């Protein structure tokens, strides 16, 4: 095995950031919200209970959170032990020099079925909660509250900014 300088590799991008142009938080938030409005699917990554899952799921971004409806799967085995998650949202087929993507690091909460917040999530998604009460299994709803956004957009360079931008919440 090669002798890897793990710290240098891990800090490759962060070491460059002090010298790069940052967007204001308001401008970056608007840019990210516009990006999120163009997408509906993310890669939902979680790890726990000795497994790692990275599942493509449809999401709704509303009220500062990400709402994921799921019939089930092994991600719930991981979430039972570890609620730290990462969502990756990206353009499907960018041309060279036009890469854009958002990594959302956050905390997942599995909503209590048919609770007030569960019903609220259904309302946000436009699904009558009564419809979910009639299906032969419990539809799970995962709410992801972001702790950090890492936004990568190659075209930001054309506007004088670093192509890598970040927002840390709380």
């Amino acid at each position: 095995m090669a002798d890897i300088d793990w710290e240098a590799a891990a800090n490759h991008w962060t070491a460059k950031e002090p010298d790069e142009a940052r967007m204001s938080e308001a401008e970056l938030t608007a840019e990210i919200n516009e990006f999120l409005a163009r997408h509906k699917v993310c890669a939902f990554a979680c790890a726990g209970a000795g497994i790692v899952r990275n599942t493509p799921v449809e999401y709704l971004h509303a009220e500062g959170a990400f709402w994921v409806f799921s019939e089930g799967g092994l991600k719930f085995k991981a979430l039972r032990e570890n609620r730290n998650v990462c969502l990756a949202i990206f353009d499907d087929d960018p041309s060279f020099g036009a890469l854009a993507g958002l990594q959302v690091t956050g905390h997942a909460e599995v909503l209590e079925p048919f609770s007030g917040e569960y019903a609220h999530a259904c309302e946000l998604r436009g699904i009558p909660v009564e419809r979910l009460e009639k299906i032969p299994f419990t539809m799970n709803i995962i709410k992801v509250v972001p702790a950090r956004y890492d936004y990568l957009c190659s075209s930001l360079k054309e506007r004088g900014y670093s192509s890598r931008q970040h927002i840390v919440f709380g």
Side-chain angles (χ1 to χ4, degrees):
M1 181 172 174
D3 188 21
I4 304 292
D5 185 342
W6 295 99
E7 281 303 307
N11 294 323
H12 176 80
W13 293 109
T14 55
K16 296 178 180 189
E17 287 183 0
D19 299 326
E20 294 185 332
R22 313 288 338 124
M23 298 175 81
S24 72
E25 188 168 322
E27 188 178 11
L28 180 55
T29 298
E31 179 96 13
I32 289 171
N33 285 336
E34 185 180 302
F35 178 83
L36 289 169
R38 296 191 314 264
H39 297 83
K40 293 182 180 184
V41 176
C42 69
F44 181 103
C46 56
I51 62 170
V52 176
R53 301 298 295 167
N54 193 352
T55 308
V57 296
E58 188 175 340
Y59 69 87
L60 169 70
H61 178 248
E63 300 179 349
F66 294 81
W67 309 81
V68 175
F69 286 64
S70 175
E71 295 173 2
L74 289 176
K75 64 185 156 295
F76 289 92
K77 184 176 182 179
L79 287 171
R80 181 174 50 207
E81 287 191 10
N82 181 4
R83 301 289 171 90
N84 296 309
V85 299
C86 186
L87 311 178
I89 304 150
F90 46 89
D91 287 342
D92 295 350
D93 190 18
S95 59
F96 184 76
L99 183 64
L102 177 68
Q103 180 172 290
V104 179
T105 306
H107 186 270
E109 175 186 351
V110 181
L111 303 183
E112 178 71 32
F114 310 109
S115 66
E117 192 167 27
Y118 185 99
H120 180 66
C122 290
E123 182 181 328
L124 288 173
R125 187 70 173 86
I127 299 172
V129 72
E130 299 80 22
R131 188 167 128 200
L132 297 183
E133 290 173 334
K134 293 178 183 175
I135 59 177
F137 58 89
T138 301
M139 178 64 73
N140 299 288
I141 302 176
I142 305 166
K143 178 182 179 183
V144 176
V145 177
R148 179 182 172 104
Y149 284 160
D150 292 291
Y151 184 58
L152 171 66
C153 182
S154 300
S155 67
L156 291 178
K157 287 181 182 180
E158 297 164 8
R159 294 167 37 201
Y161 296 114
S162 168
S163 61
R164 296 176 179 279
Q165 300 286 325
H166 316 284
I167 298 176
V168 178
F169 300 97

